[in-house]
DNA sequence: ATGACGGTGTGGCACCGA
């Protein structure tokens, strides 16, 4: 089976690209971030016609996440239990697979703007709360994957300019410590299980010819639990949609599980 | 040091993203 994540920066604008991508890559699970629409505007019918069930946690203008799957989604949890948060950033659900249930956590992590700002403090609070949520979910669901836009470049090799951008947003020690804390729960970065091209990124700034110059960051990730690790046979970033007319600034990341 | 591009909302721009 294949699972994937893609920040599509407005589902209203990008729905045709999502449908085209699914037609070319019929993954079993697709986590979407930055829907930028409310649940009542979510295109359930178009996705169902394409063969996908969906759970949506939308919001007007900003944020919003959804999980698409070929089989029904159950035990859906919206946002992080216990965290008072008016932003729609996390959606958790179970999908059935031939090897048993798979718990999927889809996260649109806080951007954080810059160290020292209120938004950065919110990011750190949010990351701490997410860690607790993932830990609790893992205890109940050993077969678990955490996918999404993490807004963290975990290592220097995940950034086009690790020296110039050292200590700036996505590159701070605090953010990287939180990413490591997720790994310390027993999760594994599926992308790094395999040989990868140098300078592999999942996001490029719209400005300054960022994509053409490959000035990007690898901030979209698929983390798998120990119970799934051995089953992962591939993980890659699909840069092709970034070349579309009217692209999202993010590319999809997908993993194959035996 | 700043802004650059793109989406949204309801606007004549400001805001947010990363």
């Amino acid at each position: 089976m294949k699972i994937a994540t893609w920040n599509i920066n407005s589902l209203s604008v990008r729905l045709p690209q999502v449908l085209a991508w699914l037609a070319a890559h019929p993954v079993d699970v697709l986590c979407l971030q930055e829907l930028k629409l409310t649940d009542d505007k979510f295109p359930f019918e178009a996705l169902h016609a394409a063969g996908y069930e969906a759970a949506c946690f939308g919001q007007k203008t900003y944020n919003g996440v959804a999980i698409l799957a070929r089989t029904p989604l159950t035990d859906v949890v919206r946002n992080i239990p216990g965290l008072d948060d008016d932003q729609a950033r996390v959606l958790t659900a179970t999908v059935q697979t031939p090897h048993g249930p798979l718990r999927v956590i889809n996260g649109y992590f806080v951007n954080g703007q810059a160290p020292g700002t209120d938004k950065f403090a919110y990011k750190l609070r949010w990351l701490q709360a997410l860690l607790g949520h993932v830990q609790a979910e893992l205890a109940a669901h050993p077969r678990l994957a955490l996918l999404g836009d993490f807004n963290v470049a975990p290592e220097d090799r995940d950034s086009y300019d690790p020296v110039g951008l050292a200590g700036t947003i996505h590159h701070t020690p605090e953010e990287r410590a939180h990413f490591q804390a997720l790994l310390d729960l027993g999760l594994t970065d599926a992308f790094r299980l395999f040989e990868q091209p140098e300078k592999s990124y999942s996001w490029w700034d719209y400005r300054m010819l960022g994509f053409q110059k490959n000035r990007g960051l690898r901030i979209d990730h698929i983390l798998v639990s120990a119970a799934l690790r051995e089953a992962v046979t591939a993980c890659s970033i699909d840069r092709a949609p970034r070349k579309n007319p009217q692209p999202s600034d993010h590319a999809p990341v997908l993993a194959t599980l035996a």
Side-chain angles (χ1 to χ4, degrees), chain A residues 12 54 61 71 133 140 188 203 256:
Chain A
S12 301
T61 311
T71 53
H133 176 56
T188 299
W203 169 89
T256 306

Side-chain angles (χ1 to χ4, degrees), chain A residues 7-179:
Chain A
N7 178 324
I8 38 82
N9 185 20
S10 170
L11 184 56
S12 301
V13 172
R14 233 69 69 186
L15 177 62
Q17 293 186 42
V18 172
L19 294 172
W21 192 79
L22 286 171
H25 305 273
V27 296
D28 297 278
V29 175
L30 174 60
C31 295
L32 298 175
Q33 303 89 36
E34 283 207 86
L35 308 180
K36 297 186 174 181
L37 49 72
T38 46
D39 291 0
D40 58 299
K41 295 195 166 60
F42 189 83
F44 287 104
E45 295 82 3
L47 291 167
H48 197 259
Y52 286 89
E53 308 282 333
C56 171
F57 180 30
Q59 181 182 332
K60 188 176 178 177
T61 311
Y62 302 117
N63 310 311
V65 285
I67 304 175
L68 317 186
R70 293 208 164 274
T71 53
L73 296 140
T74 57
D75 299 304
V76 177
V77 177
R78 294 172 155 232
N79 254 350
I80 302 171
L83 178 69
D84 183 22
D85 192 356
D86 58 4
Q87 304 191 17
R89 294 185 172 277
V90 185
L91 194 58
T92 305
T94 297
V95 297
Q96 298 303 323
T97 82
H99 302 288
L102 171 67
R103 193 66 167 162
V104 176
I105 304 179
N106 176 16
Y108 174 46
F109 290 41
V110 176
N111 174 317
Q113 193 176 45
T117 64
D118 289 347
K119 288 176 182 175
F120 190 75
Y122 165 52
K123 182 173 196 171
L124 296 184
R125 281 201 313 277
W126 187 95
L127 285 166
Q128 190 62 41
L130 179 79
L131 187 67
H133 176 56
V134 174
Q135 185 168 31
E137 288 287 340
L138 257 178
H141 310 279
R143 289 166 47 82
L144 180 145
L146 170 62
L147 308 86
D149 174 359
F150 284 55
N151 273 319
V152 178
E155 302 176 55
D156 280 355
R157 60 178 166 165
D158 299 314
S159 171
Y160 72 94
D161 186 10
V163 175
L165 295 173
T168 66
I169 200 66
H170 305 118
H171 303 69
T172 66
E174 294 96 326
E175 293 166 280
R176 288 178 169 179
H178 273 284
F179 188 88

